[in-house]
Amino acid sequence: QVQLVESGGGLVQAGGSLRLSCAASGLTFSRYAMGWLRQAPGKEREFVATISQGGTITYYADSVKGRFTISRENAKNTVYLQMNNLKPEDTAVYYCAAAPTIGAIRQANYTYWGQGTQVTVSS
């Protein structure tokens, strides 16, 4: 049974930082590209960042480019999202997801999902 478990969310002031983690089990982690997507209240889920199986290729949404960094440790079956200079518009539930190919920016491209972790940025 595949499980993706996110952690690290919370409440932070604008300009602050958070680091999200996603621990994977039940799948061959190194064979999957990993992504972070988010969903704000009343909005559709949107792409944030993705990283290739080996960790050498990354893509970011324009809204987070230069502020967020995705990384992974295949030995620990874990993917991270370092979020700096957070803004109130970053407030959302953040989801970790696994995709069979790199470059997945649509929800439909992802096979497995975590339960999400709440990030709230106060102004």
Side-chain angles (χ1 to χ4, degrees):
Q1 180 182 358
V2 176
Q3 283 193 314
L4 302 178
V5 180
E6 302 96 334
S7 61
L11 174 64
V12 64
Q13 289 188 334
S17 299
L18 283 175
R19 188 194 196 202
L20 305 183
S21 299
C22 172
S25 61
L27 77 170
T28 305
F29 184 71
S30 61
R31 292 183 180 177
Y32 286 84
M34 298 298 296
W36 289 95
L37 297 90
R38 67 187 182 186
Q39 187 167 18
K43 295 187 177 181
E44 293 187 354
R45 196 170 299 185
E46 64 175 4
F47 167 76
V48 175
T50 187
I51 187 167
S52 63
Q53 290 85 334
T56 57
I57 301 171
T58 56
Y59 295 109
Y60 296 92
D62 288 343
S63 58
V64 306
K65 206 171 291 183
R67 300 188 297 122
F68 290 11
T69 303
I70 189 171
S71 61
R72 66 189 294 164
E73 287 189 78
N74 285 350
K76 294 184 178 181
N77 285 3
T78 302
V79 61
Y80 306 96
L81 186 68
Q82 177 66 45
M83 305 186 294
N84 298 329
N85 190 22
L86 282 159
K87 303 176 180 180
E89 52 263 44
D90 294 318
T91 295
V93 176
Y94 282 71
Y95 297 90
C96 166
T101 57
I102 181 60
I105 61 172
R106 299 175 182 174
Q107 291 189 65
N109 297 139
Y110 288 90
T111 307
Y112 301 110
W113 291 83
Q115 82 289 348
T117 186
Q118 176 70 47
V119 171
T120 303
V121 184
S122 63
S123 56

